[in-house]
Amino acid sequence: MDKLISHEGDVVAVNGDTVFVRIIQHSACAECHAQGVCSASDQTEKVIEVNDKLHSFSPGDRVLLEGNLTLGLNAVLLAFVIPFLLVICALIIASILTRNDIISGLSSVLILLPYYYLLYMKRDKLKRKFAFRIKHNLHHS
């Protein structure tokens, strides 16, 4: 059985079948008792697009977004792990081939351009793959 990740949020806008939900994303230490005096505690506000044809939502509705944990891990893989590996591999290969630090460094950074361009071109497919489910939050406070 897939584990779920969930976020509570507020509907900020509805455009046809697309619901825009604002969530507050907390850092890992946001629950710490010392967060008031610590500069490491952080929270950011994000607006998530969710396609939903089954329900009707209005701005101000409190909702719950759910997604599979495996989708989140796949997103981390695409956004961070693969680019890191590309940079390291390009750096090693360019260092061996050119023996020039400047060219090696530039090559390792420039390898990211086609990778992120490919992700950009596949953004619609990725949006469908990394979709959240939305439902009314019955347990809001």
Side-chain angles (χ1 to χ4, degrees):
M1 184 164 91
D2 287 334
K3 292 185 180 182
L4 293 177
I5 54 174
S6 62
H7 290 283
E8 288 185 0
D10 297 306
V11 175
V12 292
V14 178
N15 185 2
D17 292 334
T18 305
V19 182
F20 297 89
V21 180
R22 178 182 51 231
I23 62 170
I24 304 295
Q25 188 174 25
H26 299 279
S27 67
C29 55
E31 299 300 320
C32 177
H33 68 282
Q35 74 176 355
V37 294
C38 179
S39 63
S41 66
D42 188 27
Q43 65 182 27
T44 57
E45 186 177 287
K46 297 194 184 244
V47 176
I48 308 293
E49 271 183 55
V50 183
N51 287 322
D52 185 86
K53 297 176 182 173
L54 303 175
H55 306 93
S56 78
F57 295 97
S58 301
D61 286 353
R62 192 81 176 143
V63 295
L64 189 65
L65 298 179
E66 291 181 337
N68 291 331
L69 180 61
T70 54
L71 293 180
L73 295 175
N74 286 337
V76 169
L77 183 72
L78 286 174
F80 300 108
V81 176
I82 292 174
F84 175 74
L85 293 174
L86 283 172
V87 166
I88 296 300
C89 289
L91 183 63
I92 291 169
I93 292 169
S95 293
I96 291 170
L97 294 176
T98 66
R99 305 227 183 264
N100 183 321
D101 291 343
I102 294 173
I103 293 173
S104 300
L106 284 173
S107 302
S108 65
V109 173
L110 292 175
I111 195 73
L112 294 176
L113 292 175
Y115 177 74
Y116 282 117
Y117 179 73
L118 179 66
L119 286 182
Y120 178 77
M121 296 305 292
K122 299 286 184 181
R123 69 187 178 278
D124 291 333
K125 183 177 180 182
L126 291 171
K127 270 186 189 180
R128 288 190 299 274
K129 182 178 179 184
F130 293 108
F132 280 98
R133 290 180 301 279
I134 185 172
K135 59 185 179 180
H136 286 280
N137 188 0
L138 303 176
H139 305 288
H140 65 285
S141 47

